[in-house]
Amino acid sequence: IPTRHVPFATWAIIAVNFFFFFRELSLPPEATERMTYLFGLVPARFTDPLWAASVGFPNTYVPFITTMFLHGGWLHVIGNMWVLWIFGDNVEDLMGPFRFVVFYFLCGIAAGVIHVVTNPAARVPAVGASGAIAGVMAAYFMLYPRAQILAMFPIVFWPVFFHVPAWVYLGFWFLVQFFSGAAAIAPRTPVSGIAWW
């Protein structure tokens, strides 16, 4: 769907994410790991204060914001920013840049809270903008359900491109997330480290 306004907020969020990703790449591995633990979202940090104090976590809720700007690798950051590029501009166009940024951060914070609630004992940091972007995708689903999404399905090594309505594409994505999350909390299932919920 063509936009009426330049999506400056979407571009700015993408630029800031890449800035911090390149900052991660510029650090030695030990510093990157330390940054990931300090600024990523470690649920046990908030649910087990004695453990958090014993390993030296500062008493702050800043990671609910900063985790949205850290990523676990090239595929992670490119995948997230690609999806934000596809869906964010139209949502921003309707909301306006200021409301879009507020909405984006509220979705990311809500995703962080849900991750802590569903994985209270996890001591592995969750990083990425996926929760905030999931909120943008939900907004797109509600605002533009009949928009056409150009999708690709690989058959062996041959990519097949086709159009599907947004509600089909995003509904399928939601079901994949839901069942992956359900499988992750099933008894005797190894923890994947992915914040599905």
Side-chain angles (χ1 to χ4, degrees):
I1 297 176
T3 56
R4 294 167 298 163
H5 306 96
V6 177
F8 287 117
T10 301
W11 292 355
I13 292 169
I14 291 170
V16 171
N17 272 278
F18 275 111
F19 172 81
F20 282 109
F21 181 68
F22 288 124
R23 177 71 179 128
E24 287 177 62
L25 293 179
S26 72
L27 297 172
E30 308 80 33
T32 302
E33 183 177 357
R34 179 169 170 72
M35 184 173 77
T36 302
Y37 270 91
L38 283 176
F39 298 106
L41 190 62
V42 180
R45 175 179 184 171
F46 305 101
T47 60
D48 188 349
L50 293 177
W51 171 79
S54 73
V55 295
F57 277 122
N59 187 14
T60 177
Y61 291 97
V62 168
F64 282 95
I65 298 288
T66 55
T67 191
M68 290 184 252
F69 297 100
L70 300 176
H71 287 84
W74 281 103
L75 286 178
H76 191 200
V77 70
I78 290 172
N80 273 347
M81 296 306 104
W82 180 258
V83 172
L84 180 59
W85 175 268
I86 292 170
F87 297 108
D89 61 343
N90 292 125
V91 176
E92 178 187 345
D93 202 35
L94 202 62
M95 290 184 173
F98 178 76
R99 287 195 318 159
F100 177 76
V101 169
V102 170
F103 176 75
Y104 180 88
F105 279 105
L106 288 176
C107 289
I109 292 167
V113 170
I114 291 169
H115 179 60
V116 170
V117 169
T118 57
N119 300 278
R123 295 181 179 184
V124 176
V127 295
S130 302
I133 294 168
V136 172
M137 293 169 75
Y140 195 96
F141 179 86
M142 299 299 293
L143 298 170
Y144 305 103
R146 290 186 170 80
Q148 294 295 305
I149 306 293
L150 178 61
M152 186 271 292
F153 185 80
I155 298 178
V156 188
F157 294 109
W158 190 264
V160 176
F161 294 92
F162 56 95
H163 285 89
V164 294
W167 70 269
V168 172
Y169 182 89
L170 295 170
F172 177 75
W173 175 87
F174 173 81
L175 290 175
V176 168
Q177 303 303 300
F178 179 82
F179 288 113
S180 297
I185 60 173
R188 295 187 297 278
T189 300
V191 177
S192 67
I194 298 173
W196 295 108
W197 292 108

